[in-house]
């Protein structure tokens, strides 16, 4: 075999050698590209080649070298990729954590409450947070000299004695009763505002859910049974309730509803003030004056209404001891509520 044939055989070998594993590839590198590679010997034999063929011989040798370089780096890449794929398929490797979002605890509780009432035919209504004096107070039978109207308690809009941030969702009662004819059965969740000093127990903004049912022949008994159903759905089937007489300008008679929480530990004593009972909502029969203010004939229709705060219930349920935590957007707090309530 002359030199030309030998080099041609090398070209073929460099192109076809089986080098699809790391060791074979390393052998290949040594043979064709290493410091003692086979081509060096042939370059040394250049002088034995007839002068007119030297150029062609040199080109052939370079061809072997180029081919070996190209193929080496291609196969090297393939082997690296294959190794990486193996890593991806390692089912014992620790998983990459997924940053899943969580609902805000206020939304969780609101949704729960709204769902419970939706199941018995209450329709969700949302209305404005910037309200006028009439819907928030006057229509709701709250006289001009009532302390709630004081600047101390209510945020009025700048230079206005008419517009304010609603102090309760009861304003939605007035909105609905002036717009719709009975039967009315609505549930109104939303944010309310009161001019209170911010502390661990109270905030100048919080959330309420309002309920209103107006039809012919609606009685206190209907209210009690509806609220009892609600309490059992939210707090569990064994839940006991009690109604205590109370006062609101817009209901008569009025009551506050407690659910029995228990007195098992020190925290129970603290959150129930030693009674075992938790106050969760205010309620009552819609005052005939309110119906009248809103254009509904109190001689034909009657109704009940109730309203409850969300933050307090959440604080009891999740044992949150500072109301400000709801509004601070601290991820360490929010991340607790992934699938809660
Ligand atoms: N609006 C009352 C409050 O904010 C709650 C309430 C609503 C009471 C409806 C009775 C009827 O405290």
């Amino acid at each position: 075999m002359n030199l030309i044939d030998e080099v041609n055989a090398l070209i073929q070998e460099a192109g076809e050698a089986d080098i699809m594993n790391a060791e074979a590839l390393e052998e290949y590198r040594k043979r064709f590209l290493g410091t003692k590679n086979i081509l060096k010997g042939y370059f040394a034999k250049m002088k034995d080649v007839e002068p007119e063929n030297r150029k062609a011989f040199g080109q052939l040798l370079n061809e072997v070298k180029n081919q070996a370089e190209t193929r080496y780096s291609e196969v090297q890449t393939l082997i690296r990729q294959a190794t990486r794929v193996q890593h991806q398929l390692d089912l014992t490797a620790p998983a990459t954590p997924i940053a899943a979002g969580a609902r805000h605890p206020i939304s969780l509780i609101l949704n729960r409450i709204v769902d419970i009432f939706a199941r018995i035919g209450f329709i969700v209504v949302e209305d404005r947070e910037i309200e006028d004096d009439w819907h928030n107070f006057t229509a709701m039978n709250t006289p001009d000299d009532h302390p709630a109207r004081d600047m101390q308690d209510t945020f009025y809009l700048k230079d206005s004695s008419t517009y304010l941030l609603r102090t309760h969702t009861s304003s939605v009662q007035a909105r609905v009763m002036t717009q719709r004819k009975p039967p009315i059965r609505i549930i109104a969740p939303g944010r309310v505002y009161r001019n209170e000093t911010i502390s661990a127990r109270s905030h100048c903004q919080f959330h309420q859910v309002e309920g209103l049912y107006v039809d012919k022949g609606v009685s206190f008994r209907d209210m009690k049974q509806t609220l009892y159903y609600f309490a059992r759905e939210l707090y569990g089937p064994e839940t006991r309730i009690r109604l205590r007489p109370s006062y609101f300008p817009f209901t008569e008679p009025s009551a506050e509803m407690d659910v029995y929480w228990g007195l098992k530990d020190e925290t129970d004593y603290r959150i129930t003030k030693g009674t075992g009972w938790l106050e969760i909502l205010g309620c009552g029969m819609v005052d005939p004056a309110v119906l009248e203010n809103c254009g509904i004939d109190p001689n034909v229709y009657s109704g009940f209404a109730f309203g409850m705060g969300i933050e307090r219930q959440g604080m009891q349920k999740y044992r949150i001891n500072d109301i400000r935590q709801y509004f601070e957007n601290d991820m360490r707090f929010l991340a607790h509520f992934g699938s809660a309530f």
Side-chain angles (χ1 to χ4, degrees):
M1 201 154 57
N2 66 27
L3 283 173
I4 302 276
D5 288 341
E6 283 178 31
V7 175
N8 275 327
L10 281 181
I11 291 180
Q12 194 175 350
E13 186 195 332
E16 292 171 5
D18 179 9
I19 50 172
M20 286 310 274
N21 64 66
E23 292 99 77
L25 184 66
E26 180 55 13
E27 282 308 311
Y28 183 86
R29 190 193 63 77
K30 281 188 197 149
R31 182 161 163 80
F32 290 104
L33 305 165
T35 43
K36 291 178 193 154
N37 69 63
I38 187 159
L39 298 176
K40 289 205 166 153
Y42 285 98
F43 278 112
K45 286 180 187 156
M46 189 73 93
K47 56 183 187 322
D48 304 333
V49 179
E50 309 80 53
E52 64 271 25
N53 289 335
R54 274 187 199 152
K55 193 172 168 218
F57 184 69
Q59 279 170 351
L60 269 185
L61 286 175
N62 278 328
E63 202 178 311
V64 185
K65 189 168 167 251
N66 290 338
Q67 185 170 31
E69 273 171 355
T70 314
R71 186 140 188 260
Y72 175 76
S73 73
E74 278 171 8
V75 173
Q76 194 179 40
T77 312
L78 282 176
I79 289 179
R80 274 202 200 124
Q81 280 170 353
T83 322
R84 220 176 294 139
V85 168
Q86 265 175 22
H87 275 303
Q88 279 174 6
L89 292 177
D90 179 0
L91 298 181
T92 65
T96 320
I98 298 167
R103 282 198 202 286
H104 193 278
I106 298 291
S107 305
L108 289 171
I109 305 171
L110 273 180
N111 291 346
R112 268 296 290 281
I113 295 173
V114 165
D115 278 356
I116 291 170
F117 284 103
R119 290 205 288 276
I120 52 171
F122 283 74
I123 285 164
V124 178
V125 174
E126 287 181 296
D127 216 300
R128 67 213 71 190
E129 292 176 16
I130 297 175
E131 199 34 286
D132 57 43
D133 192 72
W134 191 83
H135 290 88
N136 196 81
F137 291 128
T138 313
M140 300 314 289
N141 204 32
T142 308
D144 278 347
D145 56 1
H146 194 282
R149 291 197 174 218
D150 201 310
M151 295 274 288
Q152 299 279 311
D153 298 303
T154 301
F155 289 117
Y156 285 88
L157 265 59
K158 207 171 172 220
D159 301 326
S160 173
S161 56
T162 307
Y163 291 102
L164 46 83
L165 298 179
R166 67 179 178 193
T167 59
H168 52 184
T169 43
S170 300
S171 59
V172 184
Q173 288 191 41
R175 288 277 163 198
V176 170
M177 285 191 280
T178 49
Q179 283 163 22
R180 307 183 191 192
K181 299 235 164 307
I184 291 169
R185 200 155 40 183
I186 59 108
I187 188 98
R191 190 175 291 181
V192 302
Y193 303 84
R194 284 181 202 174
N195 194 354
E196 296 206 32
T197 312
I198 297 173
S199 71
R201 300 290 305 158
S202 59
H203 208 284
C204 60
Q205 56 165 42
F206 55 98
H207 295 76
Q208 287 189 331
V209 175
E210 191 84 7
L212 173 69
Y213 181 24
V214 181
D215 202 353
K216 288 178 183 159
V218 175
S219 66
F220 196 92
R221 190 168 59 173
D222 296 327
M223 179 179 84
K224 189 175 165 191
Q225 203 58 33
T226 305
L227 295 176
Y228 183 38
Y229 153 79
F230 162 70
R232 279 177 302 167
E233 289 295 305
L234 192 62
Y235 286 91
E238 304 302 323
T239 301
R240 285 188 289 147
I241 63 163
R242 72 177 184 189
L243 292 172
R244 281 178 293 106
S246 185
Y247 172 78
F248 300 102
F250 31 89
T251 46
E252 182 60 34
S254 304
E256 264 159 325
M257 184 175 91
D258 300 343
V259 296
Y260 192 70
W261 178 263
L263 272 178
K264 288 177 289 301
D265 59 25
E266 214 177 305
T267 319
D268 295 343
Y269 270 85
R270 190 168 45 77
I271 64 180
T272 68
K273 300 193 186 91
T275 65
W277 292 90
L278 270 185
E279 180 195 317
I280 62 165
L281 57 80
C283 58
M285 301 307 293
V286 180
D287 194 302
V290 173
L291 294 174
E292 190 128 28
N293 290 342
C294 298
I296 292 174
D297 186 349
N299 297 312
V300 181
Y301 295 104
S302 59
F304 66 76
F306 56 88
M308 68 188 100
I310 302 306
E311 278 77 358
R312 289 269 158 80
Q313 290 193 62
M315 289 169 82
Q316 288 146 359
K317 181 101 188 161
Y318 302 136
R319 313 233 147 164
I320 295 166
N321 51 27
D322 190 326
I323 195 171
R324 290 169 290 200
Q325 291 193 284
Y326 283 120
F327 308 114
E328 280 169 355
N329 288 334
D330 185 333
M331 287 300 289
R332 290 169 299 181
F333 171 74
L334 296 174
H336 282 292
F337 301 97
S339 56
F341 211 93

